[in-house]
Amino acid sequence: MDIFSVFTLCGGLAFFLYGMTVMSKSLEKMAGGKLERMLKRMTSNPFKSLLLGAGITIAIQSSSAMTVMLVGLVNSGVMELGQTIGVIMGSNIGTTLTAWILSLTGIESESVFVNLLKPENFSPLIALAGILLIMGSKRQRRRDVGRIMMGFAVLMYGMELMSGAVSPLAEMPEFAGLLTAFENPLLGVLVGAVFTGIIQSSAASVAILQALAMTGSITYGMAIPIIMGQNIGTCVTALISSIGVNRNAKRVAVVHISFNVIGTTVCLILFYGGDLLFHFAFMDWTVGAVGIAFCHTAFNVFTTILLLPFSRQLEKLARRLVRTEDARESFAFLDPLLLRTPGAAVSESVSMAGRMGQAARENICLAVDQLSHYSREREIQILQNEDKLDIYEDRLSNYLVEVSQHGLSMQDMRTVSRLLHAVGDFERIGDHAVNIQESAQEIHDKELRFSDDAREELQVLLSALDDILDLTLRSFQAADPETAGRVEPLEETIDQLIEEIRSRHIRRLQAGQCTIQLGFVLSDLLTNIERVSDHCSNIAVSVIEEQSGGPGRHAYLQEVKAGGAFSEDLRRDQKKYHLPEA
């Protein structure tokens, strides 16, 4: 084995890691926010969490990405620490699938069909199909499938390069002498942990061990402690991701490390204690790629079965080990770690924008209440909510711009576009709430009073305003185009109500039934209510555009107003919100 074999080994590792990254990222992109939504919904009990963690890790082919996603979700306040423990255990089982796929390399047969099962034989066909999809398809989803196939083919090519590079080691007596050192189980665990920690991929370190096993120089006694150590080394990614996050998010990394360290310690004691008593004959047998995959799976499954009943104890241990206080703001925000799984980041951005919309609506309701029953405490609350809305707008907009630079699917890109539009509209609704509050303050401070007719007319208008806010928020949070379609007729109705109220006010002014001062206040109120309904219309249109991928706002409005459903809804709203007889 010469220096060029070392170069080939390093190149093979690079191809393997690159293929794994491409495949993992493309799988995450196709899944979008479904993975994150499943995580939140199905972590109600440990067994569901276990299956979900295994399933998602198999889908995205990366237990490290799974753990980093969990750290980000806990840091954002979306998940609790206890919900993540079963998922972490399941991800350790899910990550073993890669080793089983790589073990097919060792298949030997004269049958063409059996040989087709060898990755080195079928991966070129997968690469060809993948590049045809990438270059020939116009649909983003098909191109993503092509990237997954190309990633897998590159991964397998990297494995083949590594196997070829280490094959001369079988004939080197120096290598055989070096391997005897690994018969010390503690040294084997240490080497497995350090090497896996350096490359930050247990799948890659297991692949290298499988490549070495094909030389016929590795025994079960050498391989088993290295495999145990590899499970400790893979925690390095979670440990790095926990830097700078809150206390609970740090505990996720601690749970991951504790699970693997305790599992390795118990397995070492039981396994080598059993060997002392029963002298396992297979310890001196040479191990192949299939044997490595089996040991990897057996260790993770056994550790999970052993520690799953002690999930609460693991949580308590993490809480004891991490006791530092958080110096954080009053409400949790989206974590940059989620950018590593862009689909989850988009899904959480939707939830955060929904909360922002709820805060904007709440501020409008508080401001409207000020018109009839003015309160200094309510004024303070409105101004505090406005500050919070400004923070939402600033951070969420910046976060969405960052997310859009991380290779999103077309659906996620449309969602990001909807959110960027909606965030600005929600912030402006909050500004109008402050304007309404200022009008209410002027009425209170100057002891002004609207006429009975004006109050009745305003009550009808404010009822319509409350309903359009409700429709808008519901359609936005559920991404429901049907509900969003009912916003535009109501917005048109509000415009007509405002126009009629203005006309009636002018007539009362001419008849001496109203003052100029009250007229200015009323005009400001009507203008702000009209602007709020316009912003509601913008948000509803963005929901419909996201779901249909349809035309722009103006083209959509022309199309909608020409349809029968719009006219029917408009007539219904006009009948429901009508002003009393003048």
Side-chain angles (χ1 to χ4, degrees):
M1 185 173 179
D2 55 18
I3 188 66
F4 296 106
S5 297
V6 176
F7 291 166
T8 305
L9 176 63
C10 293
L13 178 60
F15 276 119
F16 186 95
L17 291 172
Y18 177 73
M20 177 70 76
T21 301
V22 169
M23 188 169 67
S24 175
K25 291 294 180 187
S26 298
L27 283 162
E28 288 172 19
K29 183 177 174 182
M30 284 187 68
K34 293 175 186 173
L35 300 181
E36 180 265 348
R37 287 193 292 272
M38 286 171 63
L39 275 172
K40 288 194 288 185
R41 190 173 65 248
M42 294 184 63
T43 49
S44 54
N45 69 63
F47 294 104
K48 277 186 181 179
S49 301
L50 184 71
L51 293 173
L52 187 65
I56 293 179
T57 306
I58 288 170
I60 65 176
Q61 284 294 292
S62 176
S63 60
S64 296
M66 178 81 254
T67 308
V68 170
M69 189 193 304
L70 292 174
V71 171
L73 291 172
V74 171
N75 194 45
S76 297
V78 176
M79 291 180 71
E80 295 295 327
L81 175 65
Q83 293 177 286
T84 67
I85 296 174
V87 180
I88 290 170
M89 294 180 180
S91 72
N92 274 27
I93 295 174
T95 195
T96 62
L97 178 69
T98 309
W100 283 106
I101 294 172
L102 297 175
S103 70
L104 297 173
T105 308
I107 293 174
E108 297 292 341
S109 174
E110 294 180 3
S111 169
V112 174
F113 297 106
V114 174
N115 274 318
L116 274 176
L117 295 174
K118 297 179 71 171
E120 64 192 69
N121 293 331
F122 67 73
S123 57
L125 299 176
I126 290 178
L128 177 62
I131 200 66
L132 288 174
L133 284 172
I134 292 170
M135 296 179 66
S137 179
K138 293 182 179 179
R139 294 183 62 180
Q140 183 64 42
R141 194 167 185 83
R142 287 179 183 170
R143 291 203 296 270
D144 289 337
V145 171
R147 289 188 182 92
I148 292 167
M149 297 170 82
M150 282 299 298
F152 178 79
V154 170
L155 180 152
M156 295 314 306
Y157 178 66
M159 179 64 185
E160 199 174 332
L161 281 180
M162 287 191 291
S163 300
V166 299
S167 57
L169 291 175
E171 301 169 7
M172 291 178 61
E174 296 87 355
F175 179 65
L178 178 65
L179 288 178
T180 57
F182 293 117
E183 291 178 356
N184 181 331
L186 295 178
L187 183 61
V189 169
L190 181 64
V191 168
V194 170
F195 185 72
T196 306
I198 291 170
I199 63 174
Q200 290 190 42
S201 173
S202 60
S205 62
V206 170
I208 292 174
L209 187 60
Q210 286 178 308
L212 289 170
M214 290 177 196
T215 65
S217 307
I218 306 290
T219 64
Y220 278 96
M222 299 171 188
I224 288 171
I226 293 174
I227 290 168
M228 293 180 184
Q230 287 168 339
N231 281 273
I232 295 175
T234 195
C235 300
V236 168
T237 309
L239 198 60
I240 293 171
S241 71
S242 69
I243 296 171
V245 298
N246 69 20
R247 183 173 49 185
N248 261 350
K250 285 186 174 74
R251 288 168 178 163
V252 175
V254 170
V255 167
H256 193 198
I257 295 166
S258 302
F259 172 74
N260 285 301
V261 169
I262 293 171
T264 299
T265 304
V266 172
C267 286
L268 276 173
I269 293 170
L270 292 177
F271 184 77
Y272 284 96
D275 184 41
L276 284 173
L277 293 174
F278 303 107
H279 304 291
F280 300 140
F282 65 84
M283 292 287 280
D284 296 322
W285 298 354
T286 56
V287 64
V290 175
I292 297 288
F294 174 78
C295 291
H296 191 212
T297 303
F299 169 73
N300 282 291
V301 170
F302 176 76
T303 305
T304 300
I305 292 171
L306 180 71
L307 294 179
L308 186 60
F310 301 100
S311 298
R312 290 194 179 279
Q313 283 72 20
L314 281 173
E315 184 179 349
K316 287 179 182 177
L317 176 63
R319 292 186 185 280
R320 285 192 175 186
L321 291 175
V322 181
R323 292 184 174 182
T324 55
E325 292 297 324
D326 290 337
R328 294 182 62 82
E329 295 176 14
S330 57
F331 64 101
F333 214 81
L334 293 162
D335 195 283
L337 286 173
L338 290 177
L339 295 173
R340 299 192 188 185
T341 49
V346 171
S347 181
E348 276 314 298
S349 298
V350 172
S351 299
M352 191 63 69
R355 276 181 252 173
M356 182 183 182
Q358 191 66 50
R361 186 193 175 193
E362 180 188 339
N363 239 21
I364 290 288
C365 293
L366 289 171
V368 167
D369 288 342
Q370 291 285 73
L371 293 170
S372 54
H373 304 93
Y374 195 83
S375 160
R376 293 294 179 189
E377 290 77 14
R378 197 181 289 128
E379 176 190 345
I380 292 169
Q381 190 177 351
I382 290 169
L383 296 176
Q384 286 175 343
N385 282 351
E386 172 57 18
D387 290 340
K388 185 183 284 191
L389 284 169
D390 288 339
I391 294 172
Y392 269 120
E393 198 254 348
D394 180 49
R395 295 197 185 175
L396 194 48
S397 296
N398 290 334
Y399 194 83
L400 287 167
V401 171
E402 281 192 69
V403 170
S404 63
Q405 298 168 358
H406 283 72
L408 299 174
S409 65
M410 285 304 296
Q411 178 59 42
D412 283 340
M413 282 299 292
R414 286 199 293 270
T415 302
V416 168
S417 176
R418 166 172 71 100
L419 295 180
L420 283 169
H421 282 98
V423 163
D425 285 307
F426 284 137
E427 195 277 331
R428 291 297 297 141
I429 288 172
D431 289 343
H432 292 301
V434 173
N435 293 343
I436 294 171
Q437 143 66 30
E438 289 172 355
S439 296
Q441 185 175 2
E442 185 177 356
I443 292 170
H444 176 264
D445 291 346
K446 296 180 179 179
E447 298 182 353
L448 304 176
R449 179 178 173 81
F450 287 117
S451 65
D452 292 341
D453 288 342
R455 283 203 304 275
E456 285 182 34
E457 291 163 4
L458 270 176
Q459 197 56 49
V460 173
L461 181 61
L462 293 174
S463 175
L465 177 67
D466 185 60
D467 283 353
I468 199 171
L469 284 165
D470 178 60
L471 278 175
T472 302
L473 197 56
R474 282 196 286 120
S475 68
F476 178 81
Q477 291 176 331
D480 179 10
E482 185 177 340
T483 305
R486 291 165 53 196
V487 171
E488 190 59 35
L490 186 50
E491 193 269 339
E492 187 89 2
T493 302
I494 288 173
D495 286 348
Q496 292 172 2
L497 285 171
I498 288 171
E499 188 177 344
E500 177 61 24
I501 290 171
R502 280 197 172 111
S503 298
R504 292 187 178 194
H505 167 68
I506 291 170
R507 289 199 294 271
R508 283 194 294 269
L509 198 62
Q510 291 170 340
Q513 298 171 353
C514 187
T515 65
I516 290 289
Q517 197 170 26
L518 269 173
F520 288 141
V521 175
L522 180 64
S523 179
D524 287 342
L525 275 175
L526 296 179
T527 299
N528 282 292
I529 291 168
E530 185 177 16
R531 295 288 181 269
V532 170
S533 69
D534 288 341
H535 289 300
C536 288
S537 173
N538 293 341
I539 294 165
V541 171
S542 70
V543 170
I544 293 167
E545 282 183 333
E546 179 198 357
Q547 297 302 313
S548 64
R553 172 175 169 75
H554 295 296
Y556 161 75
L557 292 179
Q558 289 176 356
E559 184 181 308
V560 164
K561 290 181 180 180
F566 176 84
S567 300
E568 186 179 332
D569 286 342
L570 182 61
R571 283 194 298 272
R572 183 197 62 217
D573 290 335
Q574 288 172 336
K575 185 177 180 181
K576 181 178 180 181
Y577 307 103
H578 65 276
L579 299 177
E581 293 296 327

